[in-house]
């Protein structure tokens, strides 16, 4: 083979090698671009999910933010909304969740008796709000309804709005109370409650962190579920023989002692 032919083949091999290196470099750049694009997409999706998560549990208010208690709230680390005269000799402690069907059953059965006893000055009630169903069924209706009831407390309308929420409780699997518009609509059933101040309180989630604090107290309190009902510290909801009439009799006897 002539020197000229050998030189031509060598040059051709070199060109082929250079071309292959170019192809490999291009392939490496293409893979890097795919990986980079994937990372960007994942990060973007994570950002969207993070934003949704941040907005899901509040009505702007942050459950982890500063605690803003409603007017005349009591209880310190175990927040409560009091109803009735402070001078009443008997105290009914009620742990409730506005999405809880068993809580609605308790309220429907005992509502008129509790009102009678608080109105007469024989009983004061401490309502502690929990968000148990939000955790069990997912959603934010327990939190938002509890915040709205705290907003009603600011207006001096907690008992009335509390009753309206339970009387209009949606099915447990339906998170209708997560809609602030629904909560404001129900406020229209309470005379004088649907005001710009109330609406802003609901929409801003003003008391979300206070509700979260109350729910934490419920979780650490060793309670079995909602409702939990204590009369002067004694759990009466576990008493299968308990009736509204029996509750009234117990309170009247306590008044006489």
């Amino acid at each position: 083979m002539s020197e000229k032919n050998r030189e031509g083949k060598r040059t051709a091999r070199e060109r082929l090698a250079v071309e292959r290196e170019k192809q490999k470099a291009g392939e490496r750049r293409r893979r890097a671009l795919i990986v980079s694009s994937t990372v960007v997409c994942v990060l973007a999706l994570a950002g969207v999910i993070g934003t949704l998560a941040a907005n899901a549990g509040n009505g702007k208010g942050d459950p982890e933010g500063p605690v803003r208690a409603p007017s005349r709230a009591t209880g310190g680390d175990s927040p409560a909304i009091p109803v009735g005269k402070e001078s009443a000799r008997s105290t009914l402690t009620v742990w409730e969740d506005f999405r809880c069907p068993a809580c609605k059953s308790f309220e429907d059965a005992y509502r008129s008796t509790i009102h009678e006893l608080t109105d007469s000055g024989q009983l004061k009630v401490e309502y502690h709000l929990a968000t148990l169903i939000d955790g069990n069924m997912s959603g934010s209706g327990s939190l938002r309804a509890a915040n709205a009831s705290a907003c009603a407390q600011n207006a001096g309308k907690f008992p009335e709005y509390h009753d309206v929420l339970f009387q209009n409780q949606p099915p447990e699997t339906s998170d209708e109370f997560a809609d602030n518009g629904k909560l404001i609509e129900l406020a229209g059933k309470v005379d004088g409650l649907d005001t710009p101040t109330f609406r802003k309180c609901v929409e801003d989630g003003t008391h979300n962190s206070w509700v979260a604090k109350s729910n934490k107290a419920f979780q650490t309190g060793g309670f079995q579920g909602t409702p939990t009902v204590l009369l002067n510290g004694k759990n009466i909801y576990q008493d299968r023989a308990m009736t509204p009439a029996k509750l009234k009799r117990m309170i009247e006897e306590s008044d006489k002692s």
Side-chain angles (χ1 to χ4, degrees):
M1 180 180 295
S2 67
E3 185 64 29
K4 184 176 181 180
N5 286 341
R6 282 197 296 271
E7 182 63 29
K9 287 184 177 181
R10 185 166 55 250
T11 302
R13 285 196 299 270
E14 290 172 352
R15 285 200 301 269
L16 182 59
V18 169
E19 187 63 30
R20 285 175 177 170
E21 281 301 317
K22 289 182 178 178
Q23 290 177 353
K24 289 179 182 179
E27 181 65 22
R28 286 194 296 270
R29 286 194 298 272
R30 188 179 70 83
R31 287 198 299 267
L33 181 61
I34 291 173
V35 171
S36 177
S37 299
T38 301
V39 170
V40 170
C41 289
V42 169
L43 290 175
L45 179 59
V48 171
I49 292 172
T51 300
L52 290 174
N55 292 332
N58 53 56
K60 291 182 186 177
D62 181 3
E64 300 300 323
V67 175
R68 296 182 175 88
S71 299
R72 299 179 297 282
T74 61
D77 289 335
S78 184
I81 292 178
V83 174
K85 295 180 180 179
E86 182 62 31
S87 59
R89 296 185 63 180
S90 291
T91 300
L92 194 69
T93 303
V94 183
W95 292 86
E96 290 184 316
D97 182 327
F98 286 110
R99 289 181 67 188
C100 164
C103 297
K104 174 177 170 57
S105 296
F106 168 76
E107 287 294 333
D108 288 348
Y110 286 82
R111 182 179 296 116
S112 61
T113 299
I114 291 174
H115 283 324
E116 178 186 347
L117 293 168
T118 54
D119 290 346
S120 68
Q122 295 174 279
L123 177 70
K124 62 181 176 182
V125 185
E126 296 177 346
Y127 288 99
H128 299 261
L129 307 179
T131 59
L132 182 67
I133 306 301
D134 282 357
N136 291 346
M137 305 294 294
S138 78
S140 61
S142 299
L143 171 65
R144 296 194 185 203
N147 170 69
S149 73
C151 296
Q153 169 69 4
N154 293 335
K157 304 283 185 179
F158 173 83
E160 299 91 334
Y161 188 63
H162 163 275
D163 292 351
V164 165
L165 288 175
F166 278 117
Q167 289 164 342
N168 292 272
Q169 184 188 79
E172 185 179 16
T173 54
S174 173
D175 196 21
E176 292 179 31
F177 283 169
D179 178 5
N180 286 332
K182 178 67 174 179
L183 297 171
I184 291 171
E185 175 190 331
L186 291 174
K189 296 179 177 292
V190 178
D191 289 343
L193 179 57
D194 186 7
T195 64
T197 299
F198 173 80
R199 289 186 173 217
K200 186 176 188 323
C201 182
V202 171
E203 291 168 350
D204 288 352
T206 299
H207 302 297
N208 282 357
S209 56
W210 180 83
V211 174
K213 183 178 181 180
S214 178
N215 186 63
K216 182 178 180 180
F218 171 78
Q219 292 175 328
T220 58
F223 305 116
Q224 299 302 308
T226 53
T228 292
V229 185
L230 312 174
L231 178 61
N232 299 325
K234 179 181 178 181
N235 193 327
I236 62 169
Y237 189 73
Q238 296 175 342
D239 181 357
R240 295 189 178 184
M242 183 59 61
T243 64
K246 181 176 179 180
L247 173 63
K248 182 177 179 179
R249 186 168 61 252
M250 291 172 66
I251 290 171
E252 289 174 341
E253 290 174 355
S254 178
D255 253 9
K256 294 174 182 178
S257 61

